[in-house]
Amino acid sequence: EDKVVQSPLSLVVHEGDTVTLNCSYEVTNFRSLLWYKQEKKAPTFLFMLTSSGIEKKSGRLSSILDKKELFSILNITATQTGDSAIYLCAPDSWGKFQFGAGTQVVVTP
Amino acid sequence: GAVVSQHPSWVICKSGTSVKIECRSLDFQATTMFWYRQFPKQSLMLMATSNEGSKATYEQGVEKDKFLINHASLTLSTLTVTSAHPEDSSFYICSARVPTSAIYEQYFGPGTRLTVT
């Protein structure tokens, strides 16, 4: 059975801290893994990862995929209150995304 | 980036009535659209895959006669919740697939919050 596990489920940090979010997966016919940020409405796209070991960066966010160990990490450095959200990972399996339960990040001033 | 819209953004209906939700890709053609449902504090659960010009593919446990999906054009898919009940109250989100070479990305609509009274 396919499985996507995100950890931690939630965390609270102070502005300026660095956070590391984990996503482990076991899915059939894996093609890629996506990260999304969800605030109050629908998720917004962050990254798509297809190759192991190649870090993708966008501003203070970065992500990397390990296809051998079946996990991905999303890092947020110098966090800001605007980073408060739920972060979802979604491996692409047979062309469909299976979302993890998400990690809720709360950044306090 | 690609833009996906949904209408309505919020709807309240009485138990037993039907509700139609529209999902449109505004600046690209989407051969495939997906419908998700999200209950409070839970993740997105895929309900069905909608392919233009053919029948939708439903995930296990999703009643196809209750959740009617029509993908009549490359820019529009509709989800109709028939004979809605309070337990159908949820956040419904569509996404559209953007074909980019052999790698696909999905862009999400803003979601529709359905409340059944």
Side-chain angles (χ1 to χ4, degrees), chain A residues 11-28:
Chain A
L11 70 163
V12 181
V13 299
H14 293 295
E15 266 191 319
D17 289 349
T18 293
V19 299
T20 298
L21 311 180
N22 302 291
C23 173
S24 66
Y25 63 91
E26 290 180 38
V27 298
T28 53

Side-chain angles (χ1 to χ4, degrees), chain A residues 6 31-32 34 36 38 40-45 48 50 86 88-89 92 94-102 104, chain B residues 6 9 34 36 38 41-46 49 57 59 91 93 97 102-111 113:
Chain A
Q6 289 188 245
R31 302 202 299 192
S32 62
L34 279 73
Y36 287 88
Q38 185 175 26
K40 294 195 174 168
K41 289 198 171 179
T44 53
F45 173 78
M48 180 171 66
T50 54
I86 296 173
L88 300 164
C89 73
D92 176 351
W94 297 101
K96 297 186 291 189
F97 293 163
Q98 299 195 36
F99 283 86
Q104 179 161 32
Chain B
Q6 274 185 249
S9 57
F34 300 89
Y36 296 85
Q38 186 176 34
K41 299 197 184 293
Q42 294 186 27
S43 191
L44 283 77
M45 296 300 295
L46 179 64
T49 302
T57 304
E59 295 300 301
F91 193 50
I93 306 174
R97 171 178 281 169
I103 305 296
Y104 295 96
E105 300 175 13
Q106 288 186 35
Y107 288 89
F108 287 85
R113 188 161 300 283

